[in-house]
Amino acid sequence: MSARTGSAPLSGLRVLDLATLFAGPLAATMLGDFGAEVIKVEHPDRPDPSRGHGPAKNGTGLWWKLLGRNKRTVTLNLSRPGGRATLLRLAATADVIVENFRPGTLEKWDLGWDELSAANPRLVLARVTAFGQFGPYAHRPGFGTLAEAMSGFAAITGEPDTPPTLPPFGLADSIAGLATAYAVMTALAARERTGAGQVVDMAIIEPILTVLGPQPIWYDQLGHVQPRTGNRSQNNAPRNVYRTADGGWVAVSTSAQSVAERVMRLVGRPELIDEPWFATGADRALHADVLDAAVGGWIAERDRADVLAAFEKAEAAVAPVQDVRDVMTDPQYRALDSVTTVDDPELGPVRMQNVLFRLSATPGAIRWTGRPHGADTEAVLAELGVTEAELAALRAEGAV
């Protein structure tokens, strides 16, 4: 997938990414993927910690190559007068600022909404924090892990007789990043009508609560608390992962009644379809032991490739349980170019996730991978009208 920046749907949009780690920066990445000019602003001495998260190659952090793609990198110390003044000059040229400091931090530097909106009344300020800008927890430090615990996600994840389970990746942060990108575009759409910017208050604990579904209304109306059920569902069965004869695993889902019936015919147990309890997903879930034994027993006698082929022929829903090695060679992902190759000046060709979706007329593109810390400071400030003498003064002050 490729696109000239000028033809991209967000071409002409300028975003200042002041955030660190994952939710805020991911939102900026999503905007950059579709043509926004994203300027990553980092502290001169304390760059975004994602540069050092996870495995590195030859001292180069690989996560940053993904999270920092399509961003120009600038250093500014916002707590210094020169850094503050330069940020306000940048804000005057920007459409969006994404930040994730604790509430009150920007205000402490005289860079709160009053100052930023005075510099640019059309600015959208996206504030991404663990708990939001107000409430009893607002000033607590927090990360996505806390949202995964607080939201109810961990409580329903895992086997019934094991502890609650946290995801081994930044789930809440990632959901919040996507939600922030959506919120920013919503605020920009409102600006088209009103001419004025506004503040986006994104609490990381909220988007994950939304994607967990109807738990609050179930509890409100019925007092129902969803339990941990492992890989099973309370809404349908069979729904589980099953081991194949060659040691692989497959996942089966039967959310539709017709699919459940096809699975039973495929595994040689059509008589179960005539049971009174088979008629609804909830009733089938109450008989999951019987259904798992039927499906699991049939699958256990066959290699994974044969299972997948048989399910496909029967038009029943199945997927292999894949690790990243399988993902990289999966024919469907390859057809979609979901993991694409990008040239990197330090590492050469690298493979990473492609842009999030395809647009037929104005596609997004990965124009470059994450750049070195502060690589574009001189160029960006020169475009802003900062003279060499002013830049030298900023350096002497420690502002860049």
Side-chain angles (χ1 to χ4, degrees), residues 166-307:
L166 295 168
F169 67 102
L171 176 64
D173 277 315
S174 298
I175 297 171
L178 296 172
T180 300
Y182 165 64
V184 164
M185 296 309 300
T186 302
L188 290 172
R191 189 182 73 175
E192 290 298 304
R193 296 197 309 273
T194 67
Q198 60 183 299
V199 177
V200 172
D201 179 3
M202 179 62 66
I204 296 173
I205 61 173
E206 290 185 302
I208 189 171
L209 181 64
T210 296
V211 302
L212 282 171
Q215 288 191 52
I217 196 170
W218 282 346
Y219 180 75
D220 176 64
Q221 295 296 302
L222 302 172
H224 175 72
V225 178
Q226 184 174 340
R228 285 194 297 284
T229 55
N231 292 317
R232 289 179 172 177
S233 168
Q234 290 186 302
N235 303 312
N236 66 81
R239 191 265 196 183
N240 214 325
V241 294
Y242 306 94
R243 190 155 198 172
T244 59
D246 54 354
W249 292 87
V250 297
V252 173
S253 177
T254 57
S255 295
Q257 181 70 20
S258 59
V259 173
E261 293 175 6
R262 290 173 201 155
V263 171
M264 289 303 104
R265 294 190 184 99
L266 173 63
V267 303
R269 297 296 303 276
E271 75 280 2
L272 293 177
I273 299 172
D274 298 325
E275 294 287 346
W277 49 262
F278 198 87
T280 70
D283 284 339
R284 291 200 310 274
L286 297 175
H287 295 79
D289 286 343
V290 173
L291 297 173
D292 275 346
V295 176
W298 185 89
I299 289 175
E301 296 174 350
R302 292 161 175 81
D303 289 348
R304 188 168 77 170
D306 295 333
V307 171

Side-chain angles (χ1 to χ4, degrees), residues 70-116:
N70 293 334
K71 299 179 183 182
R72 302 168 80 190
T73 59
V74 168
T75 62
L76 282 179
N77 185 341
L78 303 183
S79 67
R80 301 289 173 88
R84 174 189 180 275
T86 304
L87 192 279
L88 286 174
R89 290 174 69 175
L90 275 171
T93 71
D95 298 281
V96 179
I97 291 179
V98 182
E99 64 96 0
N100 70 338
F101 299 105
R102 279 199 228 177
T105 301
L106 283 183
E107 287 74 9
K108 180 179 66 176
W109 297 331
D110 293 326
L111 286 170
W113 175 241
D114 290 344
E115 291 82 6
L116 291 171

Side-chain angles (χ1 to χ4, degrees), residues 8 28-36 69-70 354-356 363-367:
T29 301
M30 297 295 103
L31 300 173
D33 283 351
F34 286 90
R69 72 190 191 191
N70 293 334
N354 209 335
V355 300
L356 191 60
I366 303 171
R367 302 185 298 279

